[in-house]
Amino acid sequence: MTTTTLDKAAAVAVDADERPRKRRRRLAPGKRLPAARLAGPLLVLALWAVASAAEALDPAAIPAPWTVVETGAQLWTDGTLITDILTSLQRAASGFVIGLTAGVVLALASGLTRTGEALIDGTVNLNRAIPTLGLIPLFILWLGIGETFKIAIIAIVVYIPIYLNTHAALSGIDNRFVELAEVQGLSKLRFIREIVIPGALPGFFVGLRLGVTGSWLGLVVLEQINATSGLGYMMFQATNYGQSDVILVGLVVYGIFGLVSDSTVRLIERRVLSWRRTLSS
């Protein structure tokens, strides 16, 4: 009797193994494709080239890609483009460094102390509600119409997203980690190094990406105000003379700088936060 029961159980187990197993449905996006972020820009470029070749676009308004490349090569050869690029990079870098430092320092002061939060958070959110480019006339009166006000405006554009995202990440740190640090008797410095910084880094990198992009967006406008060099100045002068190809050269350079800087921040983020398992991993 026992042998018969065991034989039946074995037969049922064999039948279960022979039945096709239901394949687990994958919900994740899948493996990251190499250079996938270039697919969109390359598609836009291809459509632009096809439309230009088919004469569907007015060359005076939107020149063909090869015309823009030819114009860019000519501007590079005569030294105009490289000079303007270096000037724009210097302005953007100066404002970005100041804004990055201010955003991080204010976020730490506001996120780690109640006094700092009371004094800083409301002020920054008030500043966020005021259009930054609307401050240009006031900053010109305060700082003059030279380079200083341009760098100050870029710094404001940069520090706001860095502060907001870093402060939100600090506020979102699980209180159980704080209690654990208190039980372990961690010093303030070790608490910041081992709990605060790892917890704030994801939000910081989001703000950093927005800040990098914001620095280029602000630069486009600022370089059209009493400037004698820079990509924005080059585009403004081209507008006066109806040179749409030169304008597109400037826009393409801005786009390349924005894409490269954003990709660089993403790469650093993946390396620094390699311990995280996310959909984008």
Side-chain angles (χ1 to χ4, degrees), residues 148-180:
T148 307
F149 95 90
K150 297 181 179 66
I151 294 174
I153 292 293
I154 293 173
I156 293 175
V157 172
V158 171
Y159 101 89
I160 290 177
I162 291 178
Y163 168 85
L164 292 175
N165 286 276
T166 306
H167 181 266
L170 286 171
S171 302
I173 293 176
D174 196 326
N175 194 53
R176 288 175 295 180
F177 293 122
V178 181
E179 294 174 353
L180 178 62

Side-chain angles (χ1 to χ4, degrees), residues 93-117:
S94 301
F96 178 77
V97 169
I98 296 173
L100 172 63
T101 304
V104 171
V105 170
L106 291 175
L108 289 174
S110 178
L112 297 178
T113 63
R114 294 303 180 192
T115 303
E117 184 177 23

Side-chain angles (χ1 to χ4, degrees), residues 87 91 136 140 143-150 219-230 232-234 236-237:
T87 302
R91 288 180 181 135
I136 290 177
I140 290 176
L143 305 174
I145 203 167
E147 294 295 313
T148 307
F149 95 90
K150 297 181 179 66
L219 193 64
V220 177
V221 178
L222 293 169
E223 288 191 330
Q224 299 181 23
I225 302 174
N226 193 45
T228 56
S229 61
Y233 169 76
M234 180 187 75
F236 181 72
Q237 292 296 104

Side-chain angles (χ1 to χ4, degrees), residues 10-231:
V12 171
V14 171
D15 292 340
D17 290 339
E18 291 178 352
R19 284 199 299 263
R21 294 181 179 180
K22 186 177 180 180
R23 188 174 181 180
R24 187 175 63 178
R25 185 178 179 184
R26 292 183 59 87
L27 301 177
K31 186 180 294 185
R32 182 184 297 275
L33 299 176
R37 297 189 185 279
L38 295 177
L42 290 176
L43 178 60
V44 173
L45 180 61
L47 293 175
W48 179 15
V50 170
S52 298
E55 298 182 352
L57 299 176
D58 182 7
I62 305 179
W66 42 89
T67 303
V68 175
V69 171
E70 182 180 350
T71 302
Q74 181 179 354
L75 292 172
W76 183 275
T77 302
D78 62 22
T80 302
L81 185 58
I82 183 63
T83 302
D84 291 332
I85 287 176
L86 292 176
T87 302
S88 295
L89 284 174
Q90 182 179 1
R91 288 180 181 135
S94 301
F96 178 77
V97 169
I98 296 173
L100 172 63
T101 304
V104 171
V105 170
L106 291 175
L108 289 174
S110 178
L112 297 178
T113 63
R114 294 303 180 192
T115 303
E117 184 177 23
L119 296 175
I120 296 172
D121 192 57
T123 306
V124 174
N125 279 280
L126 178 63
N127 189 3
R128 182 185 63 159
I130 300 174
T132 304
L133 297 180
L135 295 173
I136 290 177
L138 190 60
F139 272 58
I140 290 176
L141 291 176
W142 288 349
L143 305 174
I145 203 167
E147 294 295 313
T148 307
F149 95 90
K150 297 181 179 66
I151 294 174
I153 292 293
I154 293 173
I156 293 175
V157 172
V158 171
Y159 101 89
I160 290 177
I162 291 178
Y163 168 85
L164 292 175
N165 286 276
T166 306
H167 181 266
L170 286 171
S171 302
I173 293 176
D174 196 326
N175 194 53
R176 288 175 295 180
F177 293 122
V178 181
E179 294 174 353
L180 178 62
E182 292 173 349
V183 171
Q184 295 294 325
L186 296 184
S187 64
K188 191 72 171 180
L189 184 60
R190 284 191 62 192
F191 170 69
I192 293 175
R193 185 175 67 248
E194 298 179 13
I195 304 294
V196 172
I197 292 179
L201 279 177
F204 165 75
F205 277 111
V206 174
L208 186 62
R209 289 177 54 202
L210 294 174
V212 168
T213 305
S215 66
W216 294 115
L217 294 177
L219 193 64
V220 177
V221 178
L222 293 169
E223 288 191 330
Q224 299 181 23
I225 302 174
N226 193 45
T228 56
S229 61
L231 292 172

